[in-house]
Amino acid sequence: MKKIFLIVGIVLLLGLSVYANEGIDLSKITTKHDNFKVWYHEDKTNDLSYKDVKNLEFSKSIGNHFTLGFLNHPVWFKLKLFNPSSESKRYVFALNEVFYDYVFLYYEQNKKTIKQKSGVQVDLSKREINNPNAHFYITLDPQKTTTLYVKARPFFATFGEFFIYNEKYYHNNIYKEGFLYTFYLGAVLIIGFYNLFLYFYLRNKVYLYYFGYSLSFGLWTGGFFGGIAFYYIPIEYDYNLHIVTPLAILFLMLFSNEVLEVRKNHPKIYKFLNLHHYLLVLAAFLIFFYENLGISFKIGFEFTNVVAGYIFFFYIYFALKQITTSNKIATLYLLAIGTFLVSITILSLMTMGVLPNTDYTRYGFLVGSFLEIVLLSLLLAYRIDIFQKDYQKTLQKEIYRQTQDLNEKNKTLTLIVSQKQELLKEMFHRVKNNFQILISMLYIEIGDEKSKVVTSKIESVIGKLHSMSIVHDMLYGKSDDDVLEVEKFFKDLVKHLTMKDSQINLDAEDFKLASNTLKDLGLVVNELYVNTIKYTPQDHKLKLSIKVKKEYERVIFEYEDNSLGYSDKQSGYGTEFIKETLQKLKDVKVQIDTTSKISYKVEFKASS
């Protein structure tokens, strides 16, 4: 009998244990529960109600990470939760996936049917929990098993993850779970706007295309796929904003055409690919205006998938051809596109139900697409480096060519200058001879002339010719010298100016001046000397003094004679010539006294 009672007791305990654990025991959930089974039923009739499914036998089960492929009808999910506590408990029940038209949650609480709604049709501001995914508060009766029924209809594939959160943990940590998408979106936007800056700086449209691609794809992946954008944009615009998908493909095609030089290397295929640009623009139009056109949103999106399904095989082919020529840009491009295509293919196979829904198949494309964007950024950086090196090589070749041209021109100019110098020397020599002939002829005339007045005038002309001859010989005959010695110049000049019955006192310091400056001073002395002869009586012995010295950076020139001077009315062309010549000197200051003598004091800045 004891054995019988023992067996019955064990059976009863096992029965109670089975009954007590019929649902998920929530007493063990301190953070979240993410490993449990969910039963499901496909509503192919699309007309099952909550009352219908309550009496329906759910024969299929899946894990809480699930994928059922592409379905055109809603799916009912069922799971049981056991609250062993002696009081009501509140938890958060979550379906993590934003791409659902609607999500309905049903359960019984205090003998009342609780119904909650989420999905794209419900704005975040109108939900109990402000989250882009379908998250619900659930309150469970004490010491009871509560059955949850979820009706969900996706507008892409039927996949996602169910979670049950401890309410306190949920509020403390839920936003941390969106960090991956936030980081992704932020990083992609930084890369995108950096390339926009490069476009404005370099004016190369490849950077504009890359900005368009990274911005479009970043918004789709981090903004819409991750739900970050719906905190700022009403979620009911989710369908319309999928315009970024065909735009991302369009910009990536334009970018690929540039970096792989498709127009240059494959002109015929380039024309064929260009047709797809218009097709993608059409797809974007259909997506954005699907409601106005009265068509299904999926038409434009599926149209985009068809184009994207084969178009990049062309670019892979172009890249492979260029890799054979050791093109590093093509290598980086192939690595980037290959990484992206592999990760997005894994995601596509998961959404189709071919691969299971795991963290690797669900979120691996984030890593793959981010690596693609980074690799394409490196490609652009390497491309800049190549262009800079090519530009430097081209610049060096152009510099070398122009240098050769300049050398040839210099040789020609040197020959021409040499020839002209020979001609100038010959001309200077002839001019000097002409001066000497004129002076000799005038000396002959003096010998025959008896009038002292005429003789004086002839001597004045001879003196003028002497000074002109010496200036011409010292300056024009020695044009290779940029500077001349002041003391020697004035000694030679005075030597030729000196006439009988005249006395010239010269005080010239030994320094050098620019030849042009000395030429001007020589012409001034010559004119002053002519005026001295003109205004000195014949019965006076002609006396004058010339001083030239240098104080710091300024030259001081003084001329003074013993003539009677002249008034302003008596001044003529010679006086005007002196003034104009002196004004050519740098920073010149002139003091003139012609009332009882001819006195000039000139200061100017030396330019030796």
Side-chain angles (χ1 to χ4, degrees):
M1 287 293 292
K2 290 183 179 180
K3 290 183 178 180
I4 294 173
F5 281 116
L6 180 62
I7 294 171
V8 171
I10 293 173
V11 170
L12 288 172
L13 287 172
L14 288 172
L16 290 172
S17 176
V18 170
Y19 176 78
N21 290 284
E22 183 181 2
I24 300 170
D25 187 351
L26 299 183
S27 63
K28 300 176 182 178
I29 300 178
T30 57
T31 55
K32 71 175 179 178
H33 191 24
D34 62 354
N35 185 18
F36 51 89
K37 280 188 178 183
V38 178
W39 298 87
Y40 74 96
H41 176 79
E42 298 181 28
D43 183 7
K44 295 181 181 180
T45 63
N46 198 23
D47 61 0
L48 291 177
S49 65
Y50 171 57
K51 291 182 179 180
D52 296 329
V53 297
K54 281 177 65 177
N55 301 315
L56 190 67
E57 184 68 28
F58 283 69
S59 58
K60 298 178 182 179
S61 66
I62 51 176
N64 64 305
H65 292 258
F66 66 93
T67 175
L68 299 176
F70 290 94
L71 302 177
N72 292 320
H73 47 262
V75 179
W76 283 88
F77 299 93
K78 174 183 176 182
L79 68 157
K80 295 182 178 182
L81 306 178
F82 175 63
N83 177 19
S85 174
S86 59
E87 58 184 16
S88 297
K89 290 286 186 179
R90 192 162 83 156
Y91 299 89
V92 175
F93 177 74
L95 171 56
N96 277 354
E97 195 56 61
V98 296
F99 298 137
Y100 280 92
D101 282 328
Y102 57 79
V103 179
F104 290 99
L105 172 67
Y106 300 90
Y107 69 97
E108 301 293 328
Q109 196 251 329
N110 288 331
K111 297 181 180 181
K112 292 182 181 180
T113 300
I114 305 298
K115 178 183 177 182
Q116 298 184 48
K117 183 180 179 181
S118 185
V120 174
Q121 299 177 2
V122 182
D123 190 78
L124 267 63
S125 62
K126 297 178 181 179
R127 303 184 188 185
E128 268 194 308
I129 299 178
N130 186 19
N131 192 289
N133 297 288
H135 290 188
F136 307 95
Y137 286 121
I138 55 173
T139 303
L140 305 181
D141 292 332
Q143 297 180 343
K144 284 187 178 181
T145 297
T146 302
T147 304
L148 302 184
Y149 291 91
V150 178
K151 182 182 181 181
R153 181 185 177 91
F155 59 82
F156 286 127
T158 305
F159 68 94
E161 301 89 31
F162 286 115
F163 297 108
I164 302 169
Y165 291 92
N166 175 285
E167 186 180 5
K168 184 178 180 181
Y169 171 83
Y170 177 86
H171 290 297
N172 291 336
N173 295 276
I174 187 60
Y175 294 107
K176 294 179 182 179
E177 295 185 3
F179 171 77
L180 182 62
Y181 286 110
T182 305
F183 172 80
Y184 180 96
L185 181 59
V188 170
L189 289 178
I190 289 172
I191 293 172
F193 281 100
Y194 173 72
N195 281 277
L196 181 63
F197 167 78
L198 288 178
Y199 165 72
F200 287 119
Y201 179 71
L202 300 173
R203 292 296 176 183
N204 190 323
K205 56 188 176 183
V206 69
Y207 298 102
L208 184 62
Y209 295 152
Y210 189 68
F211 164 73
Y213 168 65
S214 57
L215 181 65
S216 301
F217 192 79
L219 284 174
W220 182 79
T221 305
F224 305 136
F225 207 89
I228 304 300
F230 301 126
Y231 288 106
Y232 311 98
I233 303 170
I235 196 169
E236 57 262 31
Y237 296 116
D238 189 358
Y239 294 167
N240 307 85
L241 293 176
H242 273 79
I243 188 177
V244 297
T245 305
L247 290 181
I249 298 172
L250 173 62
F251 281 120
L252 185 56
M253 286 184 66
L254 293 170
F255 172 82
S256 302
N257 288 339
E258 289 294 320
V259 297
L260 296 177
E261 298 181 323
V262 177
R263 186 175 188 177
K264 173 184 174 183
N265 299 325
H266 310 278
K268 293 183 179 179
I269 303 179
Y270 175 78
K271 292 180 180 179
F272 170 73
L273 294 175
N274 266 357
L275 295 175
H276 292 76
H277 299 167
Y278 300 104
L279 296 177
L280 289 168
V281 170
L282 175 61
F285 180 83
L286 294 175
I287 290 172
F288 196 76
F289 296 103
Y290 78 97
E291 289 179 310
N292 305 80
L293 298 172
I295 61 174
S296 171
F297 156 79
K298 293 184 180 180
I299 293 176
F301 203 83
E302 289 173 356
F303 189 70
T304 301
N305 289 336
V306 171
V307 174
Y310 68 87
I311 200 70
F312 287 103
F313 287 104
F314 286 97
Y315 294 111
I316 291 174
Y317 167 72
F318 299 150
L320 286 171
K321 284 198 68 175
Q322 293 188 28
I323 286 174
T324 58
T325 61
S326 301
N327 188 322
K328 291 185 178 180
I329 288 180
T331 302
L332 283 171
Y333 177 86
L334 185 62
L335 184 60
I337 295 298
T339 302
F340 170 70
L341 289 178
V342 168
S343 63
I344 206 70
T345 300
I346 291 173
L347 176 65
S348 299
L349 291 174
M350 185 275 291
T351 58
M352 290 187 292
V354 177
L355 294 177
N357 183 355
T358 65
D359 288 342
Y360 300 106
T361 58
R362 174 64 179 80
Y363 300 104
F365 88 101
L366 287 176
V367 178
S369 59
F370 185 74
L371 285 176
E372 178 220 21
I373 289 175
V374 171
L375 287 170
L376 291 180
S377 298
L378 292 175
L379 179 152
L380 289 175
Y382 181 70
R383 189 170 180 265
I384 291 175
D385 183 60
I386 290 177
F387 282 170
Q388 285 180 338
K389 289 179 179 178
D390 289 342
Y391 175 75
Q392 288 176 354
K393 288 179 181 178
T394 303
L395 187 62
Q396 288 175 352
K397 288 180 181 179
E398 182 63 20
I399 290 173
Y400 177 77
R401 185 188 67 79
Q402 292 188 8
T403 301
Q404 293 296 103
D405 290 344
L406 287 173
N407 288 337
E408 292 298 322
K409 290 178 181 178
N410 283 337
K411 289 180 182 179
T412 304
L413 289 174
T414 301
L415 179 61
I416 293 172
V417 169
S418 177
Q419 292 172 349
K420 288 187 175 182
Q421 284 178 342
E422 292 298 323
L423 290 173
L424 284 172
K425 287 180 180 179
E426 178 65 22
M427 184 185 71
F428 293 150
H429 179 68
R430 292 180 182 275
V431 170
K432 182 178 178 181
N433 287 344
N434 290 337
F435 273 125
Q436 296 303 320
I437 291 170
L438 288 172
I439 292 171
S440 299
M441 291 174 66
L442 289 173
Y443 272 122
I444 292 172
E445 290 295 326
I446 288 177
D448 296 335
E449 186 60 52
K450 296 179 180 180
S451 172
K452 290 185 177 181
V453 176
V454 174
T455 300
S456 175
K457 289 183 178 180
I458 293 174
E459 287 178 345
S460 173
V461 173
I462 290 173
K464 199 167 187 177
L465 288 173
H466 267 304
S467 65
M468 290 172 66
S469 175
I470 198 71
V471 169
H472 183 278
D473 185 49
M474 294 178 66
L475 297 177
Y476 296 110
K478 298 179 181 179
S479 57
D480 290 340
D481 294 333
D482 293 328
V483 294
L484 295 172
E485 294 179 1
V486 173
E487 184 180 22
K488 183 177 184 304
F489 176 86
F490 277 98
K491 280 183 178 180
D492 291 340
L493 182 60
V494 168
K495 180 179 177 182
H496 287 80
L497 289 178
T498 303
M499 302 169 58
K500 66 178 182 178
D501 297 329
S502 65
Q503 181 182 342
I504 301 177
N505 297 320
L506 174 66
D507 182 9
E509 292 184 354
D510 186 15
F511 63 96
K512 291 183 178 182
L513 272 180
S515 58
N516 288 338
T517 303
L518 276 177
K519 167 190 170 183
D520 292 335
L521 285 177
L523 293 173
V524 168
V525 169
N526 181 70
E527 286 297 329
L528 290 173
Y529 184 68
V530 170
N531 285 342
T532 295
I533 295 174
K534 183 177 179 180
Y535 296 106
T536 300
Q538 293 185 1
D539 56 349
H540 281 62
K541 184 177 181 181
L542 189 149
K543 293 183 180 179
L544 60 94
S545 66
I546 299 173
K547 296 180 181 180
V548 186
K549 60 182 179 178
K550 186 177 182 182
E551 293 183 357
Y552 301 105
E553 295 299 319
R554 295 188 67 80
V555 177
I556 301 174
F557 166 79
E558 296 181 21
Y559 179 97
E560 186 175 330
D561 65 11
N562 64 340
S563 68
L564 299 178
Y566 58 88
S567 64
D568 291 339
K569 294 181 179 180
Q570 292 176 290
S571 63
Y573 171 76
T575 303
E576 292 299 321
F577 174 78
I578 292 171
K579 289 181 179 179
E580 290 178 3
T581 304
L582 290 177
Q583 289 303 318
K584 292 162 61 177
L585 301 176
K586 192 173 183 180
D587 192 19
V588 66
K589 295 179 181 179
V590 182
Q591 295 179 10
I592 304 173
D593 181 11
T594 60
T595 55
S596 59
K597 59 183 175 179
I598 297 176
S599 174
Y600 273 72
K601 184 176 181 181
V602 181
E603 289 187 30
F604 59 92
K605 189 175 181 180
S607 56
S608 58

